[in-house]
Amino acid sequence: MDDAKSLADSYFEEIEATIEIRQSYTNIVVAMAGPLMGALKHDKAAQTAIQQALKYKTVDPSTLYKPMIVQIHGVFENYIRSVVRAVIEERFEVVELYSSLEQGFRNSHVAHAARVLTHVKSGNIQGVAYNFDSLLTNLGKGLSGQKGYKLNPEVYTKLMGNCTAERLEKLFEAISLPEPFSDALGQNAQIKAHFDDKTKGRVAIRAKEKLDVQINLRNDIVHGDLTRVIDLTALRDTLGFIRALSAGLDQLVRAA
């Protein structure tokens, strides 16, 4: 769990740094171009560099912000995959025999593995190569009562698609985690601060609704909806929400 959260945080910080770099360009190069040119009047090379940089001042920042929205969601989806992997490895694969696992979990695992195996003839999943032999071997070991089985955690997320609220709920249920949008999520300090709301039940509901709104925004951008315009406020709001949601889910999973 530590690795999953640490990796997500490092990516979120990179995105935040990119935002700051863009703002620094606006605040220094564009806003202070006159004083800078005056101060550097004896340095023609520096003046030329500033003039070159100013050529990009009319570029719509939405061109930069849109792919950053997609990247934020990519970090979140990777975080969820990492959480699933950590939970499976830390809580289920430590059980010596597959038959000793709780029946509901075994049913869920077999169902998810079976969905992945429907792609075995194509040799890939949505155009991406996948080691079906490994899954078949591990599934065979588990079902036949052998020790040393693996659960192939990726079967739970390989066909998940966009991480909508409903899919997140089903995923957490499949690996025996608490409901993600319960009052427990609403107790997290970061997500309460994001919504400026201290009522845990209301915060959880707002988080669930907002995730789907953000997913729709992400999909519109990916599918080329040119009517979508992203400004700095919207970008910061998306980053702040996804970071807060990740923190809330991290706290929830650790407490389970």
Side-chain angles (χ1 to χ4, degrees):
M1 289 299 300
D2 289 341
D3 289 344
K5 186 63 167 56
S6 177
L7 181 62
D9 284 341
S10 68
Y11 280 125
F12 287 138
E13 287 166 8
E14 285 184 8
I15 294 170
E16 180 67 41
T18 303
I19 295 172
E20 291 303 320
I21 289 170
R22 170 69 197 195
Q23 284 307 105
S24 295
Y25 166 79
T26 301
N27 295 336
I28 298 173
V29 177
V30 177
M32 300 296 293
L36 282 172
M37 291 293 282
L40 297 169
K41 60 184 178 181
H42 299 300
D43 189 338
K44 297 301 180 184
Q47 285 188 330
T48 300
I50 293 171
Q51 290 170 341
Q52 286 295 115
L54 285 171
K55 290 181 179 180
Y56 304 104
K57 68 179 182 181
T58 58
V59 173
D60 183 0
S62 185
T63 305
L64 171 66
Y65 297 158
K66 285 182 179 181
M68 292 177 73
I69 293 284
V70 177
Q71 185 181 0
I72 291 166
H73 282 280
V75 173
F76 180 65
E77 290 175 13
N78 185 70
Y79 166 69
I80 294 299
R81 287 193 292 270
S82 297
V83 167
V84 170
R85 186 182 307 111
V87 169
I88 295 297
E89 292 176 351
E90 294 174 10
R91 302 184 186 181
F92 297 104
E93 287 187 346
V94 293
V95 177
E96 190 173 37
L97 294 175
Y98 186 81
S99 59
S100 298
L101 293 167
E102 194 270 331
Q103 182 67 53
F105 175 79
R106 279 184 283 150
N107 292 343
S108 170
H109 174 253
V110 170
H112 281 83
R115 292 193 195 104
V116 171
L117 288 172
T118 60
H119 297 266
V120 68
K121 288 186 178 180
S122 66
N124 63 76
I125 298 177
Q126 298 172 344
V128 179
Y130 180 76
N131 190 345
F132 293 99
D133 289 341
S134 171
L135 176 57
L136 287 166
T137 298
N138 289 327
L139 196 58
K141 282 184 178 182
L143 294 174
S144 63
Q146 298 179 53
K147 297 179 181 180
Y149 68 91
K150 295 292 182 181
L151 291 172
N152 292 83
E154 74 280 356
V155 300
Y156 289 93
T157 55
K158 205 68 178 174
L159 299 169
M160 181 176 65
N162 291 335
C163 198
T164 64
E166 181 181 7
R167 288 171 180 169
L168 194 57
E169 288 174 330
K170 290 180 178 179
L171 178 61
F172 273 42
E173 181 181 9
I175 60 175
S176 302
L177 288 177
E179 202 280 311
F181 298 102
S182 64
D183 287 358
L185 177 72
Q187 291 175 337
N188 178 262
Q190 282 185 239
I191 202 156
K192 285 194 292 186
H194 175 78
F195 288 110
D196 192 21
D197 192 338
K198 296 181 180 180
T199 305
K200 58 186 179 182
R202 188 164 58 229
V203 167
I205 292 171
R206 292 177 69 182
K208 180 177 180 178
E209 292 174 346
K210 187 163 185 173
L211 177 59
D212 285 339
V213 169
Q214 291 291 335
I215 291 289
N216 288 335
L217 172 61
R218 177 260 180 210
N219 289 343
D220 285 348
I221 292 171
V222 169
H223 297 143
D225 184 348
L226 300 180
T227 65
R228 286 286 200 173
V229 177
I230 306 299
D231 59 17
L232 182 60
T233 299
L235 176 60
R236 287 196 181 280
D237 181 67
T238 297
L239 179 59
F241 169 64
I242 296 298
R243 291 195 77 164
L245 178 59
S246 299
L249 292 176
D250 179 71
Q251 181 177 318
L252 183 150
V253 172
R254 290 176 188 271

